[in-house]
Amino acid sequence: MNGTNEWDTPTKDISVKEMDNALINLRALKEEYASVDAIAKECHKRLKQAEAAVIQILKDAGKGTYITEGIGKATITEKLSVATPKSIDEKVAFFKWIEENLGVETRDAYMTVSSASLNKFYQEQSDLAAERGEVLEIDGLQPPTSRSTLSFRKA
């Protein structure tokens, strides 16, 4: 069957029972997948809540890392994140800043910037500015936001 017509010429004899069983199996697996997916999403939500609770406890205790013997090590990591420029004015200002500060080649390399590469670029430029004792401000980009993530490794 080439899939272009509901009643193409068969290339193999398939019984009605075989077809019914295949569809019964498919439906059962789709339902099982949906059920497991819903459980996974709920579990992920609870995991994120537990991570947020551990981050808050560590921050309240004034700790960045904590080890529970036989269980694991929790470490808070801060990551800066900037949003890609949305408006035309923000994009023009951003690419003008890159061209003026880093050249046309670098500007061209970031013309189709993804969020991941933008954040890597921003972190590199922020580190360089910090080495010079400056705070980085790039035209066309909103100030970065910071979020806490948790790294947990089994002991």
Side-chain angles (χ1 to χ4, degrees), residues 50-51 54-55 58 63-69 71-77 149-155:
E51 286 178 351
V54 170
I55 287 171
L58 288 171
K63 298 197 175 289
T65 297
Y66 187 79
I67 299 170
T68 298
E69 285 299 321
I71 300 298
K73 175 181 174 182
T75 303
I76 297 175
T77 306
T149 60
L150 181 68
S151 168
F152 181 77
R153 291 183 169 77
K154 289 199 286 187

Side-chain angles (χ1 to χ4, degrees), residues 32 63 88 97-98 124 144:
E32 180 181 352
K63 298 197 175 289
I88 296 297
W97 185 94
I98 292 176
E124 291 167 354

Side-chain angles (χ1 to χ4, degrees), residues 35-108:
S35 174
V36 170
D37 190 46
I39 292 168
K41 285 179 181 172
E42 177 59 29
C43 185
H44 184 261
K45 178 181 167 187
R46 292 193 334 255
L47 173 65
K48 289 300 178 189
Q49 290 170 340
E51 286 178 351
V54 170
I55 287 171
Q56 190 59 55
I57 289 168
L58 288 171
K59 284 183 175 182
D60 289 347
K63 298 197 175 289
T65 297
Y66 187 79
I67 299 170
T68 298
E69 285 299 321
I71 300 298
K73 175 181 174 182
T75 303
I76 297 175
T77 306
E78 296 291 333
K79 294 182 181 180
L80 295 178
S81 178
V82 292
T84 56
K86 302 290 185 246
S87 73
I88 296 297
D89 289 341
E90 288 176 338
K91 290 176 184 179
V92 167
F94 173 64
F95 290 116
K96 180 179 177 191
W97 185 94
I98 292 176
E99 183 176 338
E100 290 174 353
N101 289 276
L102 303 170
V104 173
E105 295 80 16
T106 303
R107 182 210 60 202
D108 290 349

Side-chain angles (χ1 to χ4, degrees), residues 1 7-14:
M1 295 186 162
W7 300 106
D8 285 333
T9 305
T11 58
K12 181 178 175 186
D13 285 336
I14 305 291

